[in-house]
mmCIF file of all heavy atoms in Angstrom:
data_model
loop_
_atom_site.group_PDB
_atom_site.id
_atom_site.type_symbol
_atom_site.label_atom_id
_atom_site.label_comp_id
_atom_site.label_asym_id
_atom_site.label_seq_id
_atom_site.Cartn_x
_atom_site.Cartn_y
_atom_site.Cartn_z
ATOM 1 N N ILE A 113 9.344 27.071 4.552
ATOM 2 C CA ILE A 113 9.054 27.185 5.947
ATOM 3 C C ILE A 113 9.681 28.320 6.692
ATOM 4 O O ILE A 113 9.358 28.681 7.798
ATOM 5 C CB ILE A 113 9.286 25.787 6.813
ATOM 6 C CG1 ILE A 113 10.748 25.477 6.703
ATOM 7 C CG2 ILE A 113 8.458 24.753 6.135
ATOM 8 C CD1 ILE A 113 11.013 24.122 7.457
ATOM 9 N N ASN A 114 10.765 28.851 6.126
ATOM 10 C CA ASN A 114 11.439 30.013 6.684
ATOM 11 C C ASN A 114 10.842 31.338 6.315
ATOM 12 O O ASN A 114 11.286 32.384 6.791
ATOM 13 C CB ASN A 114 13.001 30.038 6.271
ATOM 14 C CG ASN A 114 13.744 28.855 6.978
ATOM 15 O OD1 ASN A 114 13.350 28.425 8.025
ATOM 16 N ND2 ASN A 114 14.741 28.355 6.250
ATOM 17 N N LYS A 115 9.799 31.302 5.582
ATOM 18 C CA LYS A 115 9.096 32.549 5.166
ATOM 19 C C LYS A 115 8.275 33.014 6.308
ATOM 20 O O LYS A 115 7.793 32.226 7.136
ATOM 21 C CB LYS A 115 8.272 32.311 3.941
ATOM 22 C CG LYS A 115 9.062 32.011 2.689
ATOM 23 C CD LYS A 115 8.156 31.885 1.386
ATOM 24 C CE LYS A 115 9.029 31.548 0.244
ATOM 25 N NZ LYS A 115 9.979 32.608 -0.164
ATOM 26 N N LYS A 116 7.965 34.304 6.376
ATOM 27 C CA LYS A 116 7.150 34.842 7.428
ATOM 28 C C LYS A 116 5.748 34.315 7.380
ATOM 29 O O LYS A 116 5.083 34.006 8.500
ATOM 30 C CB LYS A 116 7.144 36.317 7.404
ATOM 31 C CG LYS A 116 8.417 37.007 7.776
ATOM 32 C CD LYS A 116 8.293 38.565 7.811
ATOM 33 C CE LYS A 116 9.706 39.147 8.153
ATOM 34 N NZ LYS A 116 9.626 40.688 8.171
ATOM 35 N N SER A 117 5.245 34.135 6.215
ATOM 36 C CA SER A 117 3.974 33.526 6.044
ATOM 37 C C SER A 117 3.885 32.621 4.790
ATOM 38 O O SER A 117 4.539 32.997 3.805
ATOM 39 C CB SER A 117 2.838 34.568 5.890
ATOM 40 O OG SER A 117 2.979 35.360 4.762
ATOM 41 N N ILE A 118 3.324 31.448 4.920
ATOM 42 C CA ILE A 118 3.251 30.535 3.777
ATOM 43 C C ILE A 118 1.947 30.719 3.067
ATOM 44 O O ILE A 118 0.858 30.524 3.544
ATOM 45 C CB ILE A 118 3.348 29.063 4.305
ATOM 46 C CG1 ILE A 118 4.641 28.898 5.034
ATOM 47 C CG2 ILE A 118 3.170 28.050 3.165
ATOM 48 C CD1 ILE A 118 4.844 27.492 5.627
ATOM 49 N N LYS A 119 2.131 31.306 1.903
ATOM 50 C CA LYS A 119 0.985 31.593 1.006
ATOM 51 C C LYS A 119 0.594 30.376 0.155
ATOM 52 O O LYS A 119 1.244 29.396 0.044
ATOM 53 C CB LYS A 119 1.238 32.788 0.157
ATOM 54 C CG LYS A 119 1.602 34.056 0.934
ATOM 55 C CD LYS A 119 1.771 35.260 0.090
ATOM 56 C CE LYS A 119 1.898 36.587 0.839
ATOM 57 N NZ LYS A 119 2.974 36.617 1.755
ATOM 58 N N ASP A 120 -0.630 30.496 -0.528
ATOM 59 C CA ASP A 120 -1.057 29.427 -1.359
ATOM 60 C C ASP A 120 -0.100 29.125 -2.545
ATOM 61 O O ASP A 120 0.072 27.981 -2.941
ATOM 62 C CB ASP A 120 -2.488 29.842 -2.029
ATOM 63 C CG ASP A 120 -3.604 29.691 -0.927
ATOM 64 O OD1 ASP A 120 -3.368 29.152 0.105
ATOM 65 O OD2 ASP A 120 -4.692 30.224 -1.207
ATOM 66 N N LYS A 121 0.523 30.167 -3.020
ATOM 67 C CA LYS A 121 1.505 29.940 -4.123
ATOM 68 C C LYS A 121 2.697 29.109 -3.637
ATOM 69 O O LYS A 121 3.246 28.275 -4.469
ATOM 70 C CB LYS A 121 1.994 31.220 -4.764
ATOM 71 C CG LYS A 121 2.778 32.160 -3.821
ATOM 72 C CD LYS A 121 3.314 33.356 -4.514
ATOM 73 C CE LYS A 121 4.138 34.218 -3.587
ATOM 74 N NZ LYS A 121 4.635 35.478 -4.278
ATOM 75 N N HIS A 122 3.087 29.274 -2.370
ATOM 76 C CA HIS A 122 4.147 28.437 -1.798
ATOM 77 C C HIS A 122 3.713 27.013 -1.673
ATOM 78 O O HIS A 122 4.525 26.055 -2.018
ATOM 79 C CB HIS A 122 4.546 29.019 -0.394
ATOM 80 C CG HIS A 122 5.026 30.438 -0.508
ATOM 81 N ND1 HIS A 122 4.657 31.400 0.488
ATOM 82 C CD2 HIS A 122 5.740 31.112 -1.444
ATOM 83 C CE1 HIS A 122 5.192 32.566 0.133
ATOM 84 N NE2 HIS A 122 5.889 32.396 -1.010
ATOM 85 N N VAL A 123 2.496 26.818 -1.201
ATOM 86 C CA VAL A 123 1.974 25.466 -1.031
ATOM 87 C C VAL A 123 1.907 24.777 -2.368
ATOM 88 O O VAL A 123 2.301 23.611 -2.589
ATOM 89 C CB VAL A 123 0.615 25.433 -0.358
ATOM 90 C CG1 VAL A 123 0.073 24.018 -0.272
ATOM 91 C CG2 VAL A 123 0.703 26.087 0.988
ATOM 92 N N GLN A 124 1.419 25.594 -3.439
ATOM 93 C CA GLN A 124 1.340 24.980 -4.774
ATOM 94 C C GLN A 124 2.785 24.577 -5.341
ATOM 95 O O GLN A 124 2.889 23.544 -6.009
ATOM 96 C CB GLN A 124 0.765 26.070 -5.778
ATOM 97 C CG GLN A 124 0.508 25.580 -7.173
ATOM 98 C CD GLN A 124 -0.652 24.609 -7.193
ATOM 99 O OE1 GLN A 124 -1.660 24.829 -6.666
ATOM 100 N NE2 GLN A 124 -0.432 23.432 -7.868
ATOM 101 N N SER A 125 3.733 25.328 -4.922
ATOM 102 C CA SER A 125 5.138 25.057 -5.446
ATOM 103 C C SER A 125 5.616 23.797 -4.700
ATOM 104 O O SER A 125 6.477 23.073 -5.322
ATOM 105 C CB SER A 125 6.071 26.203 -5.158
ATOM 106 O OG SER A 125 6.377 26.372 -3.813
ATOM 107 N N VAL A 126 5.262 23.601 -3.509
ATOM 108 C CA VAL A 126 5.623 22.368 -2.799
ATOM 109 C C VAL A 126 4.990 21.113 -3.419
ATOM 110 O O VAL A 126 5.787 20.113 -3.642
ATOM 111 C CB VAL A 126 5.213 22.503 -1.315
ATOM 112 C CG1 VAL A 126 5.350 21.083 -0.587
ATOM 113 C CG2 VAL A 126 6.013 23.502 -0.560
ATOM 114 N N LEU A 127 3.711 21.242 -3.754
ATOM 115 C CA LEU A 127 3.051 20.155 -4.486
ATOM 116 C C LEU A 127 3.777 19.839 -5.743
ATOM 117 O O LEU A 127 4.057 18.703 -6.091
ATOM 118 C CB LEU A 127 1.603 20.446 -4.623
ATOM 119 C CG LEU A 127 0.763 19.432 -5.463
ATOM 120 C CD1 LEU A 127 0.793 18.083 -4.780
ATOM 121 C CD2 LEU A 127 -0.580 19.915 -5.716
ATOM 122 N N LYS A 128 4.046 20.851 -6.474
ATOM 123 C CA LYS A 128 4.723 20.696 -7.812
ATOM 124 C C LYS A 128 6.063 20.045 -7.676
ATOM 125 O O LYS A 128 6.448 19.190 -8.484
ATOM 126 C CB LYS A 128 4.774 22.065 -8.487
ATOM 127 C CG LYS A 128 5.427 21.923 -9.919
ATOM 128 C CD LYS A 128 5.399 23.312 -10.583
ATOM 129 C CE LYS A 128 5.952 23.161 -12.026
ATOM 130 N NZ LYS A 128 6.011 24.546 -12.646
ATOM 131 N N HIS A 129 6.844 20.444 -6.599
ATOM 132 C CA HIS A 129 8.121 19.948 -6.431
ATOM 133 C C HIS A 129 8.225 18.426 -6.149
ATOM 134 O O HIS A 129 9.084 17.763 -6.698
ATOM 135 C CB HIS A 129 8.905 20.763 -5.338
ATOM 136 C CG HIS A 129 10.251 20.328 -5.028
ATOM 137 N ND1 HIS A 129 11.313 20.718 -5.906
ATOM 138 C CD2 HIS A 129 10.844 19.513 -4.179
ATOM 139 C CE1 HIS A 129 12.464 20.115 -5.448
ATOM 140 N NE2 HIS A 129 12.168 19.368 -4.393
ATOM 141 N N TYR A 130 7.267 17.920 -5.340
ATOM 142 C CA TYR A 130 7.334 16.614 -4.888
ATOM 143 C C TYR A 130 6.438 15.656 -5.707
ATOM 144 O O TYR A 130 6.556 14.468 -5.632
ATOM 145 C CB TYR A 130 7.004 16.496 -3.421
ATOM 146 C CG TYR A 130 7.967 17.177 -2.537
ATOM 147 C CD1 TYR A 130 7.754 18.405 -2.031
ATOM 148 C CD2 TYR A 130 9.128 16.544 -2.116
ATOM 149 C CE1 TYR A 130 8.682 19.108 -1.197
ATOM 150 C CE2 TYR A 130 10.114 17.145 -1.328
ATOM 151 C CZ TYR A 130 9.798 18.430 -0.859
ATOM 152 O OH TYR A 130 10.708 19.056 -0.084
ATOM 153 N N ASP A 131 5.445 16.230 -6.411
ATOM 154 C CA ASP A 131 4.452 15.417 -7.125
ATOM 155 C C ASP A 131 5.038 14.972 -8.487
ATOM 156 O O ASP A 131 4.823 15.505 -9.530
ATOM 157 C CB ASP A 131 3.230 16.269 -7.371
ATOM 158 C CG ASP A 131 2.139 15.514 -8.147
ATOM 159 O OD1 ASP A 131 2.217 14.264 -8.121
ATOM 160 O OD2 ASP A 131 1.187 16.212 -8.667
ATOM 161 N N SER A 132 5.879 13.909 -8.522
ATOM 162 C CA SER A 132 6.660 13.558 -9.617
ATOM 163 C C SER A 132 5.748 12.980 -10.724
ATOM 164 O O SER A 132 6.113 13.015 -11.921
ATOM 165 C CB SER A 132 7.742 12.483 -9.307
ATOM 166 O OG SER A 132 7.138 11.421 -8.637
ATOM 167 N N ASN A 133 4.594 12.413 -10.469
ATOM 168 C CA ASN A 133 3.707 11.872 -11.439
ATOM 169 C C ASN A 133 2.595 12.803 -11.869
ATOM 170 O O ASN A 133 1.672 12.444 -12.566
ATOM 171 C CB ASN A 133 3.189 10.512 -11.169
ATOM 172 C CG ASN A 133 2.255 10.540 -9.912
ATOM 173 O OD1 ASN A 133 2.127 11.558 -9.285
ATOM 174 N ND2 ASN A 133 1.735 9.399 -9.509
ATOM 175 N N CYS A 134 2.612 14.021 -11.266
ATOM 176 C CA CYS A 134 1.611 15.117 -11.586
ATOM 177 C C CYS A 134 0.179 14.699 -11.462
ATOM 178 O O CYS A 134 -0.632 15.066 -12.325
ATOM 179 C CB CYS A 134 1.873 15.575 -13.060
ATOM 180 S SG CYS A 134 3.584 16.157 -13.372
ATOM 181 N N ASP A 135 -0.089 14.026 -10.378
ATOM 182 C CA ASP A 135 -1.506 13.608 -10.133
ATOM 183 C C ASP A 135 -2.189 14.451 -9.068
ATOM 184 O O ASP A 135 -3.278 14.107 -8.524
ATOM 185 C CB ASP A 135 -1.643 12.126 -9.805
ATOM 186 C CG ASP A 135 -0.979 11.716 -8.464
ATOM 187 O OD1 ASP A 135 -0.314 12.618 -7.868
ATOM 188 O OD2 ASP A 135 -1.144 10.561 -8.035
ATOM 189 N N GLN A 136 -1.508 15.621 -8.649
ATOM 190 C CA GLN A 136 -2.066 16.502 -7.736
ATOM 191 C C GLN A 136 -2.190 15.996 -6.340
ATOM 192 O O GLN A 136 -2.935 16.525 -5.508
ATOM 193 C CB GLN A 136 -3.392 17.092 -8.258
ATOM 194 C CG GLN A 136 -3.318 17.840 -9.554
ATOM 195 C CD GLN A 136 -2.353 19.036 -9.505
ATOM 196 O OE1 GLN A 136 -2.448 19.898 -8.689
ATOM 197 N NE2 GLN A 136 -1.354 19.010 -10.348
ATOM 198 N N LYS A 137 -1.317 15.013 -5.907
ATOM 199 C CA LYS A 137 -1.333 14.498 -4.579
ATOM 200 C C LYS A 137 0.046 13.829 -4.353
ATOM 201 O O LYS A 137 0.690 13.416 -5.249
ATOM 202 C CB LYS A 137 -2.472 13.575 -4.305
ATOM 203 C CG LYS A 137 -2.627 12.438 -5.137
ATOM 204 C CD LYS A 137 -3.833 11.510 -4.848
ATOM 205 C CE LYS A 137 -4.036 10.342 -5.782
ATOM 206 N NZ LYS A 137 -4.587 10.759 -7.021
ATOM 207 N N LEU A 138 0.381 13.810 -3.110
ATOM 208 C CA LEU A 138 1.631 13.113 -2.655
ATOM 209 C C LEU A 138 1.310 11.841 -1.960
ATOM 210 O O LEU A 138 0.576 11.782 -1.054
ATOM 211 C CB LEU A 138 2.383 14.102 -1.670
ATOM 212 C CG LEU A 138 2.761 15.431 -2.192
ATOM 213 C CD1 LEU A 138 3.627 16.178 -1.180
ATOM 214 C CD2 LEU A 138 3.474 15.476 -3.544
#
Side-chain angles (χ1 to χ4, degrees):
I113 61 181
N114 291 328
K115 295 183 182 296
K116 289 183 179 178
S117 64
I118 299 177
K119 298 182 169 62
D120 285 348
K121 66 178 182 180
H122 301 138
V123 179
Q124 187 70 49
S125 74
V126 169
L127 175 61
K128 184 177 179 181
H129 181 79
Y130 295 97
D131 181 20
S132 57
N133 64 355
C134 303
D135 64 354
Q136 298 300 305
K137 55 182 177 283
L138 305 183

